Amino acid sequence: MPLSTTHEIVAPAYAGISGVGAFNVVQIEHAEAIVAGAERAGLPVILQISENTARYHGALAPIALASLALADGASVPVAVHLDHAESADLVHQAVELGLTSVMFDASKLPYDENVAATREITAHCHRAGVWVEAELGEVGGKDGAHAPGVRTDPDEAGAFVAATGVDALAVAVGSSHAMLTRDAVLDFGLIARLRAAIAAPLVLHGSSGVDDDGLVRAVAAGMTKVNVSTHLNKAFTGAVRRHLDGNPDTVDPRRYLDPARAAVADEVARLLCVLAGDRPR
């Protein structure tokens, strides 16, 4: 089916109190695996490309255009999203390339400057019909606003959304980026208060550190878009390592990237079902 917009995927989930999986693409095998997993689950998905990944590829266009092509050929709704962009120029490139949403991260700025920068980006994106996610607090850092004792204030979050006009807000509720273990402790009461305080979907960053039960409870409390990256990278790298350990003479990268792609597809399908409230058997 044709490329879907992020709004088309997130809005029904927000209205229905269910979760949407947003998975980070590092290379084309990730994008292929994520789409394959979504097709197996029969559920929509969001492909995310971070500013760091664009830098890794030398530019946004190569990996973005590949992801857009895969989304356009998928049998389920697939959107393509720019994740954690601190550069306004990169946001403009994403809009020109045809990405359906962006996450603009001005969280390191003082509050008033964050509001002003985010409002300007939002206006630019909305003129092009592009959905905008922002964040309040340093959600983008390893720890940052996810460090113990640092959380998003519901009143400030409500004011931020109203002042900037963003379509979704990433909030700090106890998770942390780049976690290798799934033992983060979320504040579900805060999630519920944030859901009540702002007129936009909530986004959970650092979801790789949250176990299945935590994800289910987070969605029930009010989270809608759930971002996963490190957890899938663990599955990918683990499959590569196992193949090379068992086949030390392998030199054709397709031999070890194929099982890595399959491992990510399996986990994407499983996690999408968890977030949708349909635990796989």
Side-chain angles (χ1 to χ4, degrees):
M1 61 171 47
L3 173 72
S4 295
T5 68
T6 301
H7 172 74
E8 289 169 338
I9 293 174
V10 171
Y14 177 60
I17 316 296
S18 64
V20 169
F23 301 106
N24 280 69
V25 171
V26 178
Q27 53 200 41
I28 192 170
E29 285 81 8
H30 287 84
E32 291 168 337
I34 293 164
V35 171
E39 289 179 328
R40 188 181 311 163
L43 292 167
V45 75
I46 299 168
L47 302 178
Q48 302 198 142
I49 303 165
S50 71
E51 182 166 324
N52 286 337
T53 292
R55 190 176 299 117
Y56 166 78
H57 286 283
L60 176 61
I63 192 65
L65 292 173
S67 297
L68 287 165
L70 287 163
D72 197 50
S75 62
V76 295
V78 180
V80 183
H81 173 79
L82 177 65
D83 185 38
H84 274 299
E86 297 183 10
S87 163
D89 286 343
L90 190 65
V91 170
H92 294 169
Q93 290 173 37
V95 171
E96 291 169 5
L97 287 168
L99 274 68
T100 61
S101 60
V102 304
M103 187 263 191
F104 181 61
D105 180 2
S107 60
K108 294 177 183 176
L109 298 175
Y111 178 82
D112 289 344
E113 293 179 34
N114 186 354
V115 167
T118 302
R119 184 191 294 125
E120 183 175 344
I121 286 289
T122 301
H124 173 81
C125 290
H126 282 179
R127 285 193 293 271
V130 173
W131 188 93
V132 180
E133 172 188 335
E135 68 177 54
L136 197 57
E138 269 188 66
V139 182
K142 293 181 180 179
D143 293 320
H146 292 306
V150 182
R151 299 290 185 265
T152 302
D153 177 78
D155 291 336
E156 189 173 64
F160 182 87
V161 170
T164 59
V166 296
D167 302 293
L169 187 68
V171 291
V173 293
S175 57
S176 181
H177 280 91
M179 286 186 67
L180 298 177
T181 56
R182 301 181 77 201
D183 53 5
V185 179
L186 301 183
D187 187 335
F188 301 107
L190 177 57
I191 294 172
R193 294 194 296 277
L194 286 162
R195 167 87 184 202
I198 73 171
L202 300 177
V203 183
L204 182 64
H205 286 235
S207 305
S208 293
V210 183
D211 65 15
D212 287 1
D213 287 339
L215 293 176
V216 170
R217 291 184 64 189
V219 170
M223 281 291 171
T224 301
K225 179 173 175 280
V226 177
N227 291 10
V228 180
S229 180
T230 301
H231 181 65
L232 295 187
N233 288 339
K234 282 180 61 181
F236 189 99
T237 303
V240 170
R241 189 170 284 127
R242 286 190 296 273
H243 181 89
L244 292 177
D245 285 346
N247 303 273
D249 294 331
T250 297
V251 295
D252 185 343
R254 291 170 294 187
R255 300 297 183 189
Y256 53 82
L257 291 177
D258 186 57
R261 184 170 51 191
V264 171
D266 289 345
E267 190 59 7
V268 165
R270 195 189 70 79
L271 285 173
L272 286 175
C273 290
V274 168
L275 294 172
D278 179 18
R279 297 287 189 107
R281 296 175 181 83

